[in-house]
Amino acid sequence: PLTLEEVRMLVELFYLPYQHGPLAQELLEHFRWLQANSISVGVPATAPDACGGARWRGRAQSFQRLCAQTCHLHSRFVSTASRALLYDLHPYLWDIRNMLLAASAFILWLGCQSITAPIMLGRDAEPWARRGGLFGELQALLPVGNSCDLFYHPPPLFPSSQLYLLRPLLPLDKEGGGCSEVALGQAGLWVKLSSAPALVARLLGPFLSLSPEYTFVLEDEAGPCGYAAGVLHAEGFLQQRDSSWLPAIRHKYPPELGTGGPALGQEAVLFFHAEPLVVPQPVLRRFPSLVQVGTAPRVLDVGASRSLALCLLSALRANGSRGVFCQVCDADQQQLSFYSKLG
């Protein structure tokens, strides 16, 4: 059964609509302070201060720990609560878990990035656009807080106790295959990297090579299971991809490699040698940033996918992006359905 401490956490998370318990208050205080003082950290730090940076990282660790405890509480609640209580309270706890996954990863990202533009919160939303309680306050603090469609999704019919971790891309991921493993999983091909490197390059290559600072990884207990990749200035990125990255990858994978081997590998090699589609200028002017989100087939919880999208969009918005687009083949019903479910 749930412990007394876990019940206390549950009560403090959902105390009153406009009055928070100690745990919720601590989460909010940490998040506000970390956002306001992120200038003291980064690569490179915009205001180098060893003492301030150490304090920031200490509070970031405390915030991560509280987020992890809350995500663990969600998992324990699904596993141990009575069915009647579970279906009454699960939607609220599910929402908080998804929000804290995104907030936690966003704070981690702030700790390793140099924010070159002020965090843009946009216009104030109408009062009805946000809920009360901890969820509404955290929503207001994220840079995409006014994008209401991102925050409202019905909870799953069958609650899952699966634990997730969401974090920015680390250098070890590119060396050890973290994101590449996810790319293979998204294609339904869980194999060793050496057997399908072309497929990995097709799905994630340009992002990992030219814009790794806007890449996030979702993990479950079995390992990497999702990713979100983005580009702040898509026009320059696409030009660089076509002028430098594509020629290099075409040299590495000549057309003759597209014969024989797995069908998905053949498709990837042929994809490199096709002329890339041109993104119309009106699209680039209105939506200057490019995004791509994917999860492995085993991720059935749309809340984890939503957290991926929230975190990526918050990072882009924090650096001044005013709109994003994604590229999907009109025949790819799976991807079209995936993005539609994200709102």
Side-chain angles (χ1 to χ4, degrees):
L2 292 172
T3 66
L4 180 61
E5 183 60 32
E6 287 168 333
V7 174
R8 184 180 291 113
M9 285 177 63
L10 190 62
V11 172
E12 290 179 1
L13 285 170
F14 307 103
Y15 198 65
L16 289 171
Y18 300 101
Q19 184 178 348
H20 304 300
L23 173 62
Q25 192 62 46
E26 191 176 359
L27 279 165
L28 284 172
E29 287 172 1
H30 279 316
F31 194 46
R32 289 192 184 107
W33 187 91
L34 289 165
Q35 267 195 321
N37 294 275
S38 61
I39 196 171
S40 62
V41 290
V43 184
T46 48
D49 175 2
C51 229
R55 186 181 175 204
W56 192 94
R57 295 185 193 285
R59 288 197 70 160
Q61 286 181 352
S62 299
F63 180 71
Q64 304 293 331
R65 187 165 55 250
L66 291 174
C67 291
Q69 287 174 359
T70 306
C71 291
H72 184 70
L73 172 63
H74 168 267
S75 179
R76 288 268 295 132
F77 188 76
V78 171
S79 302
T80 62
S82 71
R83 296 297 92 179
L85 185 62
L86 172 62
Y87 282 96
D88 272 347
L89 298 185
H90 177 257
Y92 304 98
L93 200 52
W94 183 75
D95 268 340
I96 289 293
R97 183 211 65 171
N98 297 335
M99 181 67 76
L100 289 179
L101 276 175
S104 173
F106 179 66
I107 290 299
L108 277 174
W109 177 83
L110 280 179
C112 58
Q113 297 301 320
S114 176
I115 300 298
T116 54
I119 292 179
M120 301 169 62
L121 295 178
R123 295 174 297 176
D124 289 336
E126 296 291 337
W128 50 262
R130 297 196 190 110
R131 288 181 240 174
L134 178 62
F135 181 93
E137 295 220 28
L138 286 169
Q139 176 190 344
L141 289 171
L142 281 174
V144 289
N146 291 339
S147 303
C148 299
D149 286 351
L150 291 168
F151 294 91
Y152 298 103
H153 292 269
L157 289 175
F158 303 101
S160 167
S161 60
Q162 177 67 63
L163 282 168
Y164 291 101
L165 171 67
L166 178 55
R167 57 175 176 77
L169 179 75
L170 301 173
L172 288 176
D173 289 312
K174 289 192 281 185
E175 296 169 12
C179 257
S180 302
E181 184 183 341
V182 175
L184 292 172
Q186 185 196 2
L189 188 67
W190 291 98
V191 292
K192 289 184 182 291
L193 297 182
S194 57
S195 62
L199 177 60
V200 175
R202 173 186 171 175
L203 289 171
L204 274 174
F207 294 99
L208 295 179
S209 299
L210 305 176
S211 183
E213 64 273 19
Y214 291 103
T215 305
F216 296 87
V217 181
L218 180 72
E219 295 182 17
D220 61 13
E221 291 162 355
C225 60
Y227 72 90
V231 178
L232 185 61
H233 303 293
E235 187 172 10
F237 168 83
L238 295 173
Q239 290 173 356
Q240 194 175 0
R241 181 199 66 182
D242 297 345
S243 63
S244 60
W245 184 83
L246 260 182
I249 209 76
R250 284 170 177 167
H251 179 74
K252 183 176 181 179
Y253 299 103
E256 53 268 23
L257 285 181
T259 57
L264 284 170
Q266 296 176 38
E267 182 190 341
V269 172
L270 295 175
F271 174 81
F272 296 142
H273 293 274
E275 281 303 311
L277 295 175
V278 176
V279 180
Q281 278 299 317
V283 172
L284 291 171
R285 282 197 294 270
R286 187 174 176 188
F287 308 100
S289 303
L290 171 65
V291 298
Q292 182 173 305
V293 184
T295 57
R298 68 177 186 267
V299 180
L300 303 178
D301 187 343
V302 71
S305 306
R306 187 183 76 178
S307 298
L308 265 174
L310 272 178
C311 188
L312 173 60
L313 295 176
S314 293
L316 291 167
R317 181 72 161 159
N319 268 337
S321 175
R322 63 181 186 276
V324 303
F325 71 96
C326 56
Q327 292 180 293
V328 186
C329 174
D330 56 5
D332 192 340
Q333 293 301 319
Q334 184 179 0
Q335 279 295 90
L336 288 170
S337 171
F338 175 78
Y339 283 115
S340 297
K341 285 178 182 176
L342 291 180

